[in-house]
DNA sequence: TCAAAAGTGTTTGTTATACACCCATGT
DNA sequence: ACATGGGTGTATAACAAACACTTTTGA
């Protein structure tokens, strides 16, 4: 049974993943869009009796089977963005951890792939514009809020965090400086655990301390990178 | 003749103005909403053959007769935000200069007033939430982009700029430090003109130099306050 | 002459930046 | 031994914060 949908409005999601020091985006090819055969963002419609945030999570969960960090960042409504139809789309970006990364092929009625955000193929409609806008939004947010951890495993070495910020912000950081800056914030917990199977000195693993962070925010602390 | 509208979707605008060292928001009382009699944000529907950004400008222009700086900042779509109906609204904030401020009563089929953003009355639907969200968005943007000038006259004294930032960011700045910081950016032009009719030493007036700013941006300059 | 804001300069402490350097590990 | 990243320390420059002070103007 198909539930009633809101007409003329859709949701599209830019799903970001971090793998091999690259920022990647999840693309799909729906069997429905046979004509175009272009890669597209995962998306869907909104039910009449569901909040839009819930719709965004549902659509992504139907495809990947998991719940992830999601953020609405813009709504796109140029008249000609979808040929021969009037469609407004509300866009979200999602940040997924590497363990989720692999689960992205749940349903087999569609093709799925991850691509480097800096090397996109031709995309359906205005989906390239939407991705660039998502990247811009993510860049703004990641510098003032600790959302980057949503792209890393729960336990990670400091250099992974640095590489993540470097690839998203498209810049380089000095290792000692980055290290001391992030550690001075006191929002990371150093674990006993260490890296395994690396061909060099293994690094300590850290995890993000959300409780500590929330407490610091109360006191007026400001995350800034 | 009424043009065809997109169903279930509306646009609402948070119009910010700066007057008497206060950040104010434009509220209206539409005759249509007789039942509720609550103050509300100015808003309207989207035509089938018009971009949403255009719709936002049109709706505001119909009411105030002017074009202003507008920025889309979020879309609100909780199921119960409008009783007995399903309505998603795309929200914009607008920044208007004081000369426009007075023109806000163009049409007389509605009541209009400016209220302090920090002292809001009871509002229609979720319009209070939308305003708070708009303020948050404005705060983020005004610290990293020179959009604040859209709330000031073309020619303004430095202290007006400082007061503007203080009231929006809800903080205080040290006058000499604020002054030197903004002047070091080299994005203001000092005019020969001076303040008039003040009961104290008149200040030099400045204007924002958009050309200079764009050129600096090219070179990697970053506005930050 | 006083109040109110304009406008300039200095001092101090904190951060950012750029390095140099040693450590641990697998090949 | 050496390549690779882990991890620490330091010297310098740049900047932020606090504040003292003089100037101008109308009432």
């Amino acid at each position: 049974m198909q539930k009633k949908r809101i007409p003329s409005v859709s949701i599209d999601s830019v799903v970001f993943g971090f793998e091999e020091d690259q920022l990647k985006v999840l693309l799909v090819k729906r069997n429905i869009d046979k004509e175009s055969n272009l890669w597209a963002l995962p998306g869907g419609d909104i039910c009449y009796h569901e909040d839009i945030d819930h719709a965004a999570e549902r659509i992504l969960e139907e495809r990947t089977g998991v719940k992830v960090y999601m953020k609405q960042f813009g709504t796109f409504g140029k008249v000609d963005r979808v040929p021969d139809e009037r469609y407004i789309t509300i866009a979200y970006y999602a940040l997924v951890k590497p363990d989720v990364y692999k689960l992205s092929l749940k349903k087999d009625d569609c093709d799925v792939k991850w691509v480097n955000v800096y090397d996109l193929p031709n995309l359906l409609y205005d989906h390239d514009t939407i991705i660039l806008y998502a990247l811009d939004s993510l860049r703004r947010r990641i510098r003032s809020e600790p959302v980057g951890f949503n792209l890393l495993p729960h336990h990670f070495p400091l250099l992974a965090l640095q590489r993540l910020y470097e690839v998203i912000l498209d810049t380089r950081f000095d290792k000692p400086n980055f290290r001391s800056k992030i550690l001075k914030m006191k929002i990371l917990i150093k674990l006993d655990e260490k890296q395994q199977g690396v061909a060099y000195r293994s690094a300590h693993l850290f995890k993000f301390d959300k409780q500590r962070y929330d407490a610091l925010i109360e006191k007026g602390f400001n995350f800034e990178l």
Side-chain angles (χ1 to χ4, degrees), chain A:
Chain A
M1 181 197 120
Q2 183 77 357
K3 285 192 179 165
K4 191 179 175 193
R5 306 300 169 112
I6 297 177
S8 302
V9 187
S10 62
I11 285 183
D12 284 302
S13 296
V14 180
V15 185
F16 287 113
F18 181 62
E19 190 196 43
E20 291 167 359
D21 287 359
Q22 293 189 327
L23 184 64
K24 299 194 172 179
V25 175
L26 186 72
L27 298 180
V28 304
K29 208 180 263 186
R30 288 173 244 178
N31 288 355
I32 310 154
D33 307 324
K34 274 292 186 215
E35 355 73 59
S36 69
N37 205 39
L38 289 170
W39 289 97
L41 293 172
D45 293 322
I46 305 160
C47 297
Y48 245 81
H49 299 289
E50 116 186 293
D51 295 347
I52 57 173
D53 287 355
H54 180 268
E57 287 170 15
R58 174 183 53 77
I59 289 165
L60 209 60
E61 198 181 343
E62 282 169 5
R63 204 171 283 281
T64 65
V66 289
K67 293 196 175 180
V68 295
Y69 174 88
M70 291 196 82
K71 186 81 192 171
Q72 187 203 299
F73 68 91
T75 295
F76 298 80
K78 284 203 180 297
V79 170
D80 59 359
R81 60 173 292 276
V82 175
D84 306 323
E85 273 187 281
R86 184 63 211 272
Y87 246 94
I88 291 170
T89 197
I90 307 169
Y92 288 74
Y93 64 78
L95 305 181
V96 309
K97 292 177 182 292
D99 26 312
V100 176
Y101 201 95
K102 307 299 176 191
L103 301 173
S104 51
L105 278 120
K106 194 186 170 193
K107 291 206 171 183
D108 52 5
D109 61 350
C110 61
D111 292 331
V112 176
K113 72 168 177 179
W114 290 95
V115 300
N116 190 321
V117 73
Y118 296 111
D119 188 18
L120 297 172
N122 265 346
L123 293 174
L124 191 69
Y125 307 154
D126 56 351
H127 288 191
D128 50 346
T129 306
I130 295 176
I131 292 175
L132 292 182
Y133 205 100
L135 180 58
D136 185 63
S137 301
L138 174 61
R139 279 180 177 163
R140 290 175 187 275
R141 191 154 299 263
I142 209 172
R143 298 206 317 174
S144 60
E145 281 174 43
V147 295
F149 302 106
N150 292 298
L151 285 163
L152 294 175
H154 282 98
H155 298 174
F156 55 87
L158 283 187
L159 198 62
L161 185 64
Q162 182 182 333
R163 295 282 177 255
L164 174 67
Y165 272 86
E166 287 177 340
V167 76
I168 292 178
L169 299 177
D170 193 24
T171 134
R172 302 290 296 181
F173 290 103
D174 177 85
K175 185 173 47 155
N177 294 340
F178 184 90
R179 194 186 169 78
S180 70
K181 187 165 184 177
I182 195 86
L183 287 178
K184 242 190 304 182
M185 291 184 190
K186 303 278 184 196
I187 58 172
L188 294 184
I189 297 175
K190 189 176 187 174
L191 304 166
D192 290 333
E193 210 175 335
K194 286 196 165 196
Q195 261 182 323
Q196 301 211 334
V198 285
Y200 44 81
R201 177 177 177 179
S202 65
H204 268 102
L205 298 184
F206 292 80
K207 72 170 185 181
F208 174 55
D209 187 347
K210 175 133 176 60
Q211 280 72 42
R212 189 70 131 319
Y213 173 73
D214 290 339
L216 286 171
I217 283 294
E218 284 291 313
K219 293 185 204 162
F221 167 76
N222 216 335
F223 183 88
E224 201 68 50
L225 262 178

mmCIF file of all heavy atoms in Angstrom, chain A residues 6-9 46-52 71-72 74-79 86 88 90 133 140-141 143-145 222 224:
data_model
loop_
_atom_site.group_PDB
_atom_site.id
_atom_site.type_symbol
_atom_site.label_atom_id
_atom_site.label_comp_id
_atom_site.label_asym_id
_atom_site.label_seq_id
_atom_site.Cartn_x
_atom_site.Cartn_y
_atom_site.Cartn_z
ATOM 1 N N ILE A 6 3.165 14.261 -0.748
ATOM 2 C CA ILE A 6 3.012 15.682 -1.063
ATOM 3 C C ILE A 6 3.469 15.895 -2.500
ATOM 4 O O ILE A 6 4.564 15.465 -2.868
ATOM 5 C CB ILE A 6 3.840 16.546 -0.097
ATOM 6 C CG1 ILE A 6 3.323 16.357 1.337
ATOM 7 C CG2 ILE A 6 3.797 18.002 -0.504
ATOM 8 C CD1 ILE A 6 4.111 17.114 2.375
ATOM 9 N N PRO A 7 2.667 16.555 -3.333
ATOM 10 C CA PRO A 7 3.055 16.735 -4.732
ATOM 11 C C PRO A 7 4.079 17.854 -4.913
ATOM 12 O O PRO A 7 4.160 18.750 -4.074
ATOM 13 C CB PRO A 7 1.728 17.118 -5.398
ATOM 14 C CG PRO A 7 0.953 17.803 -4.323
ATOM 15 C CD PRO A 7 1.359 17.143 -3.027
ATOM 16 N N SER A 8 4.846 17.780 -5.972
ATOM 17 C CA SER A 8 5.754 18.867 -6.397
ATOM 18 C C SER A 8 6.935 19.112 -5.465
ATOM 19 O O SER A 8 7.696 20.044 -5.674
ATOM 20 C CB SER A 8 5.007 20.202 -6.556
ATOM 21 O OG SER A 8 3.964 20.048 -7.485
ATOM 22 N N VAL A 9 7.062 18.310 -4.405
ATOM 23 C CA VAL A 9 8.177 18.494 -3.483
ATOM 24 C C VAL A 9 8.875 17.167 -3.266
ATOM 25 O O VAL A 9 8.225 16.144 -3.068
ATOM 26 C CB VAL A 9 7.710 19.029 -2.111
ATOM 27 C CG1 VAL A 9 8.899 19.359 -1.241
ATOM 28 C CG2 VAL A 9 6.834 20.250 -2.281
ATOM 29 N N ILE A 46 7.847 12.955 0.154
ATOM 30 C CA ILE A 46 7.477 13.167 1.552
ATOM 31 C C ILE A 46 6.040 12.703 1.756
ATOM 32 O O ILE A 46 5.160 13.053 0.976
ATOM 33 C CB ILE A 46 7.564 14.665 1.906
ATOM 34 C CG1 ILE A 46 8.966 15.197 1.585
ATOM 35 C CG2 ILE A 46 7.213 14.900 3.367
ATOM 36 C CD1 ILE A 46 9.018 16.701 1.447
ATOM 37 N N CYS A 47 5.817 11.921 2.797
ATOM 38 C CA CYS A 47 4.452 11.500 3.098
ATOM 39 C C CYS A 47 3.675 12.643 3.752
ATOM 40 O O CYS A 47 4.256 13.517 4.393
ATOM 41 C CB CYS A 47 4.459 10.299 4.047
ATOM 42 S SG CYS A 47 5.239 8.843 3.344
ATOM 43 N N TYR A 48 2.391 12.607 3.567
ATOM 44 C CA TYR A 48 1.547 13.643 4.145
ATOM 45 C C TYR A 48 1.652 13.707 5.655
ATOM 46 O O TYR A 48 1.570 14.767 6.255
ATOM 47 C CB TYR A 48 0.087 13.421 3.731
ATOM 48 C CG TYR A 48 -0.425 14.539 2.874
ATOM 49 C CD1 TYR A 48 -0.137 14.560 1.505
ATOM 50 C CD2 TYR A 48 -1.149 15.598 3.414
ATOM 51 C CE1 TYR A 48 -0.569 15.605 0.710
ATOM 52 C CE2 TYR A 48 -1.585 16.642 2.617
ATOM 53 C CZ TYR A 48 -1.299 16.640 1.263
ATOM 54 O OH TYR A 48 -1.713 17.678 0.476
ATOM 55 N N HIS A 49 1.833 12.544 6.260
ATOM 56 C CA HIS A 49 1.803 12.519 7.721
ATOM 57 C C HIS A 49 3.173 12.227 8.304
ATOM 58 O O HIS A 49 3.327 11.380 9.183
ATOM 59 C CB HIS A 49 0.766 11.501 8.208
ATOM 60 C CG HIS A 49 -0.599 11.848 7.738
ATOM 61 N ND1 HIS A 49 -1.310 12.927 8.231
ATOM 62 C CD2 HIS A 49 -1.393 11.305 6.787
ATOM 63 C CE1 HIS A 49 -2.475 13.016 7.618
ATOM 64 N NE2 HIS A 49 -2.553 12.040 6.743
ATOM 65 N N GLU A 50 4.165 12.949 7.821
ATOM 66 C CA GLU A 50 5.510 12.764 8.350
ATOM 67 C C GLU A 50 6.272 14.079 8.244
ATOM 68 O O GLU A 50 6.163 14.793 7.244
ATOM 69 C CB GLU A 50 6.201 11.620 7.593
ATOM 70 C CG GLU A 50 7.402 11.953 6.779
ATOM 71 C CD GLU A 50 7.924 10.773 5.953
ATOM 72 O OE1 GLU A 50 8.401 9.813 6.573
ATOM 73 O OE2 GLU A 50 7.880 10.846 4.713
ATOM 74 N N ASP A 51 7.051 14.397 9.299
ATOM 75 C CA ASP A 51 7.899 15.589 9.280
ATOM 76 C C ASP A 51 8.932 15.445 8.175
ATOM 77 O O ASP A 51 9.348 14.327 7.849
ATOM 78 C CB ASP A 51 8.628 15.730 10.626
ATOM 79 C CG ASP A 51 7.675 15.976 11.790
ATOM 80 O OD1 ASP A 51 6.493 16.279 11.524
ATOM 81 O OD2 ASP A 51 8.114 15.857 12.934
ATOM 82 N N ILE A 52 9.401 16.566 7.635
ATOM 83 C CA ILE A 52 10.368 16.459 6.541
ATOM 84 C C ILE A 52 11.703 15.871 7.008
ATOM 85 O O ILE A 52 12.334 15.119 6.278
ATOM 86 C CB ILE A 52 10.589 17.813 5.808
ATOM 87 C CG1 ILE A 52 11.034 18.907 6.767
ATOM 88 C CG2 ILE A 52 9.328 18.228 5.063
ATOM 89 C CD1 ILE A 52 11.420 20.196 6.041
ATOM 90 N N LYS A 71 21.598 16.783 8.130
ATOM 91 C CA LYS A 71 21.416 18.218 8.290
ATOM 92 C C LYS A 71 20.794 18.816 7.029
ATOM 93 O O LYS A 71 21.338 18.636 5.936
ATOM 94 C CB LYS A 71 22.788 18.861 8.527
ATOM 95 C CG LYS A 71 22.740 20.323 8.858
ATOM 96 C CD LYS A 71 22.427 20.523 10.312
ATOM 97 C CE LYS A 71 22.075 21.971 10.627
ATOM 98 N NZ LYS A 71 21.575 22.105 11.998
ATOM 99 N N GLN A 72 19.687 19.494 7.208
ATOM 100 C CA GLN A 72 19.089 20.188 6.065
ATOM 101 C C GLN A 72 19.919 21.419 5.741
ATOM 102 O O GLN A 72 20.311 22.155 6.649
ATOM 103 C CB GLN A 72 17.665 20.596 6.420
ATOM 104 C CG GLN A 72 16.903 21.173 5.235
ATOM 105 C CD GLN A 72 15.765 22.057 5.658
ATOM 106 O OE1 GLN A 72 14.849 21.619 6.328
ATOM 107 N NE2 GLN A 72 15.824 23.313 5.274
ATOM 108 N N GLY A 74 19.485 23.310 2.418
ATOM 109 C CA GLY A 74 18.963 24.214 1.403
ATOM 110 C C GLY A 74 17.814 23.601 0.633
ATOM 111 O O GLY A 74 17.639 22.382 0.623
ATOM 112 N N THR A 75 17.044 24.467 0.002
ATOM 113 C CA THR A 75 15.929 24.015 -0.817
ATOM 114 C C THR A 75 16.078 24.625 -2.200
ATOM 115 O O THR A 75 16.346 25.817 -2.325
ATOM 116 C CB THR A 75 14.601 24.429 -0.163
ATOM 117 O OG1 THR A 75 14.468 23.730 1.071
ATOM 118 C CG2 THR A 75 13.421 24.095 -1.059
ATOM 119 N N PHE A 76 15.956 23.778 -3.197
ATOM 120 C CA PHE A 76 16.248 24.200 -4.558
ATOM 121 C C PHE A 76 14.974 24.202 -5.390
ATOM 122 O O PHE A 76 14.266 23.199 -5.447
ATOM 123 C CB PHE A 76 17.312 23.275 -5.163
ATOM 124 C CG PHE A 76 18.618 23.335 -4.401
ATOM 125 C CD1 PHE A 76 18.791 22.638 -3.214
ATOM 126 C CD2 PHE A 76 19.654 24.149 -4.860
ATOM 127 C CE1 PHE A 76 19.981 22.734 -2.501
ATOM 128 C CE2 PHE A 76 20.837 24.248 -4.154
ATOM 129 C CZ PHE A 76 21.004 23.531 -2.967
ATOM 130 N N GLY A 77 14.684 25.335 -6.010
ATOM 131 C CA GLY A 77 13.395 25.455 -6.678
ATOM 132 C C GLY A 77 13.392 26.305 -7.928
ATOM 133 O O GLY A 77 12.454 27.061 -8.153
ATOM 134 N N LYS A 78 14.444 26.189 -8.732
ATOM 135 C CA LYS A 78 14.390 26.878 -10.026
ATOM 136 C C LYS A 78 13.338 26.185 -10.885
ATOM 137 O O LYS A 78 13.151 24.968 -10.818
ATOM 138 C CB LYS A 78 15.751 26.839 -10.716
ATOM 139 C CG LYS A 78 16.760 27.813 -10.134
ATOM 140 C CD LYS A 78 17.834 28.146 -11.158
ATOM 141 C CE LYS A 78 18.855 29.112 -10.584
ATOM 142 N NZ LYS A 78 18.270 30.415 -10.231
ATOM 143 N N VAL A 79 12.654 26.988 -11.698
ATOM 144 C CA VAL A 79 11.560 26.477 -12.522
ATOM 145 C C VAL A 79 12.020 25.338 -13.429
ATOM 146 O O VAL A 79 11.329 24.327 -13.570
ATOM 147 C CB VAL A 79 10.962 27.618 -13.375
ATOM 148 C CG1 VAL A 79 10.001 27.055 -14.420
ATOM 149 C CG2 VAL A 79 10.243 28.616 -12.481
ATOM 150 N N ARG A 86 7.304 20.679 -12.504
ATOM 151 C CA ARG A 86 7.712 21.628 -11.490
ATOM 152 C C ARG A 86 7.987 20.854 -10.214
ATOM 153 O O ARG A 86 7.063 20.286 -9.620
ATOM 154 C CB ARG A 86 6.628 22.685 -11.243
ATOM 155 C CG ARG A 86 7.048 23.776 -10.254
ATOM 156 C CD ARG A 86 8.241 24.559 -10.823
ATOM 157 N NE ARG A 86 9.153 25.072 -9.825
ATOM 158 C CZ ARG A 86 9.038 26.253 -9.201
ATOM 159 N NH1 ARG A 86 8.047 27.049 -9.473
ATOM 160 N NH2 ARG A 86 9.936 26.632 -8.320
ATOM 161 N N ILE A 88 10.204 21.065 -6.498
ATOM 162 C CA ILE A 88 11.078 21.726 -5.540
ATOM 163 C C ILE A 88 11.695 20.628 -4.691
ATOM 164 O O ILE A 88 11.002 19.709 -4.271
ATOM 165 C CB ILE A 88 10.279 22.689 -4.647
ATOM 166 C CG1 ILE A 88 9.773 23.880 -5.470
ATOM 167 C CG2 ILE A 88 11.110 23.163 -3.467
ATOM 168 C CD1 ILE A 88 8.769 24.753 -4.736
ATOM 169 N N ILE A 90 13.997 19.594 -1.262
ATOM 170 C CA ILE A 90 14.618 19.981 0.000
ATOM 171 C C ILE A 90 15.842 19.101 0.170
ATOM 172 O O ILE A 90 15.738 17.875 0.106
ATOM 173 C CB ILE A 90 13.651 19.788 1.174
ATOM 174 C CG1 ILE A 90 12.332 20.516 0.892
ATOM 175 C CG2 ILE A 90 14.270 20.271 2.477
ATOM 176 C CD1 ILE A 90 11.225 20.181 1.868
ATOM 177 N N TYR A 133 26.835 22.945 -3.139
ATOM 178 C CA TYR A 133 26.226 23.716 -2.059
ATOM 179 C C TYR A 133 26.350 22.952 -0.736
ATOM 180 O O TYR A 133 26.616 23.536 0.315
ATOM 181 C CB TYR A 133 24.763 23.972 -2.390
ATOM 182 C CG TYR A 133 24.177 25.182 -1.746
ATOM 183 C CD1 TYR A 133 24.032 26.368 -2.449
ATOM 184 C CD2 TYR A 133 23.765 25.147 -0.418
ATOM 185 C CE1 TYR A 133 23.485 27.492 -1.846
ATOM 186 C CE2 TYR A 133 23.230 26.260 0.194
ATOM 187 C CZ TYR A 133 23.086 27.424 -0.529
ATOM 188 O OH TYR A 133 22.552 28.525 0.087
ATOM 189 N N ARG A 140 31.396 25.202 6.267
ATOM 190 C CA ARG A 140 31.087 26.210 7.274
ATOM 191 C C ARG A 140 30.845 25.567 8.632
ATOM 192 O O ARG A 140 31.339 26.013 9.651
ATOM 193 C CB ARG A 140 29.824 26.985 6.884
ATOM 194 C CG ARG A 140 30.016 27.897 5.710
ATOM 195 C CD ARG A 140 28.699 28.532 5.310
ATOM 196 N NE ARG A 140 28.846 29.283 4.083
ATOM 197 C CZ ARG A 140 29.276 30.545 4.041
ATOM 198 N NH1 ARG A 140 29.555 31.171 5.149
ATOM 199 N NH2 ARG A 140 29.417 31.165 2.895
ATOM 200 N N ARG A 141 30.062 24.493 8.605
ATOM 201 C CA ARG A 141 29.659 23.911 9.881
ATOM 202 C C ARG A 141 30.798 23.183 10.584
ATOM 203 O O ARG A 141 30.932 23.231 11.797
ATOM 204 C CB ARG A 141 28.466 22.966 9.705
ATOM 205 C CG ARG A 141 27.828 22.525 11.022
ATOM 206 C CD ARG A 141 26.379 22.168 10.858
ATOM 207 N NE ARG A 141 25.592 23.283 10.382
ATOM 208 C CZ ARG A 141 24.887 24.088 11.178
ATOM 209 N NH1 ARG A 141 24.872 23.890 12.489
ATOM 210 N NH2 ARG A 141 24.194 25.080 10.676
ATOM 211 N N ARG A 143 33.825 23.778 10.721
ATOM 212 C CA ARG A 143 34.833 24.621 11.360
ATOM 213 C C ARG A 143 34.365 25.166 12.704
ATOM 214 O O ARG A 143 35.186 25.587 13.522
ATOM 215 C CB ARG A 143 35.207 25.793 10.451
ATOM 216 C CG ARG A 143 35.830 25.324 9.131
ATOM 217 C CD ARG A 143 36.721 26.378 8.566
ATOM 218 N NE ARG A 143 36.106 27.707 8.672
ATOM 219 C CZ ARG A 143 36.732 28.823 8.343
ATOM 220 N NH1 ARG A 143 37.962 28.769 7.886
ATOM 221 N NH2 ARG A 143 36.126 29.977 8.458
ATOM 222 N N SER A 144 33.076 25.162 12.936
ATOM 223 C CA SER A 144 32.580 25.740 14.179
ATOM 224 C C SER A 144 31.803 24.753 15.048
ATOM 225 O O SER A 144 31.337 25.103 16.118
ATOM 226 C CB SER A 144 31.704 26.960 13.884
ATOM 227 O OG SER A 144 30.610 26.584 13.082
ATOM 228 N N GLU A 145 31.669 23.513 14.558
ATOM 229 C CA GLU A 145 31.002 22.495 15.366
ATOM 230 C C GLU A 145 31.673 21.153 15.126
ATOM 231 O O GLU A 145 32.117 20.867 14.021
ATOM 232 C CB GLU A 145 29.516 22.389 14.997
ATOM 233 C CG GLU A 145 28.666 23.472 15.604
ATOM 234 C CD GLU A 145 27.235 23.420 15.087
ATOM 235 O OE1 GLU A 145 26.688 22.311 14.983
ATOM 236 O OE2 GLU A 145 26.683 24.490 14.782
ATOM 237 N N ASN A 222 33.873 27.524 22.592
ATOM 238 C CA ASN A 222 33.554 27.633 21.183
ATOM 239 C C ASN A 222 34.515 26.794 20.345
ATOM 240 O O ASN A 222 35.697 27.104 20.268
ATOM 241 C CB ASN A 222 33.643 29.099 20.762
ATOM 242 C CG ASN A 222 32.591 29.449 19.748
ATOM 243 O OD1 ASN A 222 32.117 28.570 19.029
ATOM 244 N ND2 ASN A 222 32.240 30.706 19.674
ATOM 245 N N GLU A 224 36.441 25.713 17.264
ATOM 246 C CA GLU A 224 36.877 26.488 16.093
ATOM 247 C C GLU A 224 38.142 25.901 15.493
ATOM 248 O O GLU A 224 39.139 25.744 16.174
ATOM 249 C CB GLU A 224 37.131 27.942 16.520
ATOM 250 C CG GLU A 224 37.092 28.934 15.380
ATOM 251 C CD GLU A 224 35.706 29.109 14.794
ATOM 252 O OE1 GLU A 224 34.768 29.333 15.576
ATOM 253 O OE2 GLU A 224 35.555 28.971 13.562
#
